[in-house]
Amino acid sequence: PFSSCGRRKMNLKSERRGIHVDQSELLCKKGCGYYGNPAWQGFCSKCWREEYHKARQKQIQEDWELAERLQREEEEAYASSQSTQGAQSLTFSKFEEKKTNEKTRKVTTVKKFFTASSRAGAKKEIQEAKAPSPSIHRQASIETDRVSKEFIEFIRTYQKPGQDIYKQCKLFLDTMSHKRDLSIEEQSECAQDFYQNVADRLQTRWKVPPEKVEKAMDEVEKYIMTRQYKYVFCPETTDDEKKDLAVQKRIRALHWVTPQMLCVPVSEEIPEVSDMVVKAITDIIEMDSKRVPRDKLACITKCSKHIFNAIKITKNEPASADDFLPTLIYIVLKGNPPRLQSNIQYITRFCNPSRLMTGEDGYYFTNLCCAVAFIEKLDAQSLNLSQEDFDRFMTGQTSPKKQESDSFSPDVCLGVKQMCKSLDLLSQLNERQERIVSEAKKLEKDLIDWTEGITKEVEDIVEKYPLEIKPKSQALAAIDSENVENDKLPPPLQPQVYAG
């Protein structure tokens, strides 16, 4: 039902068209050099806030102009109809109608650029919602108390700057407790402003070194977000839960996608690689259990590093960015992390922006956002499939997975499946060993035949061309021998003695 490996390699360019993301696309589209984010319309945190402030100032200006214009119209209408109370009521109703129409038009325009704000109906649902169980309250209070004690112990090492930090955090938490009715975007804006103000105070007023400022900001984020988590994570005033269910349903519908379709350079047949894949899935699922944005980012980073190690072991060479993104998509499809969109939105809204704009945490988080966006838009062309095959797979009529995996019933445990795979592998190794022994015997026979053939050829040549062995000639007489016949040599010299 799908292309073979050879054809897949030939069509690698077309496959990469759906999965490949140029590294420049991960950066802010304004060109500042920081990582962008789909939740910020492709901007980084800094540029997004600038655009947000511009739009908000424009909206405030339009509100003032509208108020002044309606005030003038009201005064003119009131001056022309002072006599009757009905005219005043008519003018007031006209004022309210115009104001409502203008507000509706502006809200619709702003929603095209920003996310939806809180609604009165949703706010009412929050007030009427069931209270959490006592066990959840106990768990939250225990963790909150632990984090509070750790934060107090930490700021004591900063002395006076630490006292200022604690004071600012308490003031921020008290302020946020009175802003529960604000939209989640407005609460996020307050948190981002707070991070920036605290960092600026530590650097400019207290002259704290940059490395200590970064560590202090991590502790500040951990303290305030542990206390704010239950109020700002997946609030009912947003459609985060709806998006979670849509993504979860989408991933379930794509259960048939194989690593070969995504060109994933990972071989799970290798035990070490299989362990890395399991650890990566565990890390991405564990992200939902964390309460601090930085801890959720750490889970994404650990997952990504396991992916890089799995690719390195499989290919026996360092992994590239083009290898990483398809594998991350495969891990997300295989793991189907709970509340994925809520976690991404929570990190985007309330994480210290410096972590998302630079560093490996920001890089891996941006790739995760790209992976989720790809899954939402995945089509037949992205997987190098025909539209007919893609539709059949999506509807569950057929499956591209191996028949061996389908032969197991759903109740069979993972250990039995692994045992069957191991037995199959041993059978293949046995066949390979028998083939090697057969080839070795054949080679031995060939060597014996070659030796006998060479021996016979030598014998034939010797028989055809016999050797004539001549007798040895007599050796010449030695010079010092006693036989001196016919010897014409002079007599030997006799020693002579000379007188001194």
Side-chain angles (χ1 to χ4, degrees):
F2 56 90
S3 304
S4 64
C5 183
R7 181 182 174 189
R8 194 171 306 280
K9 291 180 180 179
M10 294 175 61
N11 296 334
L12 182 61
K13 185 175 181 181
S14 62
E15 290 188 28
R16 289 298 186 190
R17 188 185 313 159
I19 300 177
H20 173 70
V21 175
D22 192 355
Q23 294 303 298
S24 62
E25 298 177 11
L26 302 178
L27 300 177
C28 176
K29 65 181 182 181
K30 202 170 182 179
C32 63
Y34 295 117
Y35 291 122
N37 193 291
W40 296 325
Q41 307 295 328
F43 292 102
C44 68
S45 175
K46 182 180 178 181
C47 297
W48 168 252
R49 295 183 67 191
E50 292 177 356
E51 297 294 328
Y52 180 85
H53 282 300
K54 289 180 182 178
R56 189 167 63 177
Q57 291 298 327
K58 183 178 179 181
Q59 181 178 351
I60 293 174
Q61 183 64 28
E62 291 178 355
D63 289 344
W64 276 106
E65 293 176 357
L66 172 64
E68 292 177 355
R69 180 164 59 86
L70 293 179
Q71 182 67 25
R72 288 196 303 269
E73 292 179 1
E74 182 183 7
E75 291 176 354
E76 293 174 358
Y78 180 78
S80 61
S81 56
Q82 296 182 3
S83 57
T84 61
Q85 182 70 22
Q88 295 178 3
S89 301
L90 179 62
T91 304
F92 181 76
S93 62
K94 183 179 179 181
F95 164 77
E96 289 294 329
E97 181 180 359
K98 287 185 178 181
K99 182 177 180 181
T100 302
N101 292 337
E102 290 290 337
K103 290 289 184 182
T104 303
R105 179 184 62 81
K106 285 203 299 271
V107 169
T108 304
T109 303
V110 173
K111 280 183 179 180
K112 294 180 182 179
F113 191 72
F114 301 106
T115 54
S117 59
S118 60
R119 299 177 182 177
K123 189 190 307 180
K124 184 178 180 181
E125 292 177 2
I126 291 179
Q127 297 173 355
E128 296 177 355
K130 292 183 178 180
S133 63
S135 61
I136 296 178
H137 274 301
R138 284 196 299 269
Q139 181 179 0
S141 62
I142 291 173
E143 185 172 358
T144 301
D145 292 341
R146 178 181 60 81
V147 171
S148 299
K149 291 179 181 178
E150 292 177 355
F151 182 67
I152 293 174
E153 292 295 328
F154 171 78
I155 62 176
R156 284 178 180 174
T157 60
Y158 280 65
Q159 298 179 353
K160 288 186 178 180
Q163 296 177 5
D164 188 29
I165 293 174
Y166 185 74
K167 180 180 178 182
Q168 295 297 324
C169 289
K170 296 294 288 184
L171 181 61
F172 171 76
L173 292 173
D174 183 64
T175 303
M176 292 298 293
S177 65
H178 297 88
K179 293 185 177 182
R180 304 282 185 231
D181 56 342
L182 294 180
S183 67
I184 195 64
E185 286 76 24
E186 292 173 322
Q187 295 185 54
S188 171
E189 187 72 12
C190 293
Q192 300 296 329
D193 289 338
F194 173 73
Y195 289 143
Q196 187 64 44
N197 292 336
V198 172
D200 290 342
R201 287 175 70 91
L202 289 175
Q203 290 177 351
T204 58
R205 180 177 179 180
W206 299 106
K207 309 299 181 183
V208 178
E211 61 275 6
K212 295 191 68 175
V213 171
E214 183 178 357
K215 188 175 181 180
M217 293 307 301
D218 289 341
E219 294 297 327
V220 168
E221 177 189 326
K222 180 179 179 180
Y223 174 64
I224 66 171
M225 294 316 304
T226 300
R227 300 176 68 93
Q228 292 291 310
Y229 177 79
K230 63 181 180 180
Y231 303 112
V232 297
F233 180 82
C234 191
E236 296 187 15
T237 56
T238 65
D239 57 351
D240 291 351
E241 185 176 2
K242 183 178 178 182
K243 291 180 180 178
D244 288 334
L245 296 176
V247 171
Q248 193 174 50
K249 183 178 178 181
R250 175 70 172 173
I251 292 177
R252 286 177 179 173
L254 294 170
H255 67 91
W256 49 268
V257 176
T258 62
Q260 292 77 19
M261 293 180 180
L262 295 170
C263 290
V264 175
V266 168
S267 175
E268 295 186 67
E269 299 297 329
I270 304 175
E272 191 174 358
V273 174
S274 178
D275 292 341
M276 291 293 178
V277 171
V278 172
K279 290 179 180 179
I281 294 174
T282 303
D283 289 332
I284 198 70
I285 292 176
E286 188 183 3
M287 173 178 63
D288 186 59
S289 65
K290 305 299 181 181
R291 304 183 74 178
V292 183
R294 178 168 60 91
D295 295 340
K296 293 181 181 291
L297 276 180
C299 292
I300 299 174
T301 300
K302 288 193 296 183
C303 169
S304 302
K305 290 184 176 180
H306 286 314
I307 291 175
F308 273 106
N309 289 334
I311 297 173
K312 182 179 180 181
I313 295 172
T314 303
K315 298 180 65 177
N316 199 20
E317 63 181 15
S320 64
D322 289 340
D323 296 330
F324 170 67
L325 183 58
T327 311
L328 179 60
I329 294 171
Y330 173 68
I331 293 297
V332 174
L333 288 176
K334 195 169 182 179
N336 197 358
R339 299 192 293 185
L340 182 57
Q341 283 287 5
S342 292
N343 282 286
I344 290 177
Q345 291 294 332
Y346 176 70
I347 294 173
T348 302
R349 292 165 180 160
F350 296 101
C351 183
N352 188 355
S354 62
R355 283 192 170 272
L356 300 183
M357 294 164 60
T358 57
E360 62 177 6
D361 289 342
Y363 174 76
Y364 294 139
F365 178 71
T366 303
N367 274 275
L368 177 62
C369 295
C370 292
V372 175
F374 174 83
I375 291 173
E376 293 175 341
K377 299 177 182 178
L378 188 142
D379 55 11
Q381 184 179 3
S382 302
L383 300 175
N384 196 29
L385 296 173
S386 63
Q387 190 62 42
E388 293 77 11
D389 289 341
F390 182 81
D391 293 337
R392 291 209 313 269
F393 296 155
M394 289 295 291
T395 55
Q397 297 178 3
T398 58
S399 176
K401 298 198 179 223
K402 295 181 180 179
Q403 296 298 326
E404 290 81 4
S405 62
D406 295 337
S407 62
F408 295 105
S409 64
D411 299 332
V412 176
C413 67
L414 183 62
V416 174
K417 294 180 180 180
Q418 187 65 36
M419 181 184 67
C420 293
K421 291 181 179 179
S422 299
L423 291 174
D424 184 40
L425 181 60
L426 288 174
S427 177
Q428 295 177 9
L429 291 174
N430 187 29
E431 293 177 359
R432 182 180 177 185
Q433 183 182 10
E434 291 178 354
R435 188 165 58 250
I436 292 174
V437 171
S438 176
E439 293 292 335
K441 291 181 178 179
K442 182 181 178 182
L443 177 61
E444 183 181 8
K445 185 178 181 300
D446 291 342
L447 288 174
I448 294 173
D449 294 342
W450 177 79
T451 303
E452 293 177 352
I454 294 297
T455 303
K456 189 175 183 304
E457 289 181 5
V458 171
E459 290 176 354
D460 292 341
I461 292 174
V462 170
E463 183 180 355
K464 185 176 181 180
Y465 304 100
L467 296 176
E468 295 181 2
I469 303 176
K470 298 179 179 181
K472 293 183 178 181
S473 60
Q474 295 182 355
L476 296 175
I479 295 176
D480 296 332
S481 67
E482 297 179 355
N483 186 11
V484 292
E485 293 182 356
N486 301 325
D487 191 4
K488 303 300 182 180
L489 292 175
L493 300 174
Q494 295 296 326
Q496 299 179 9
V497 179
Y498 295 93

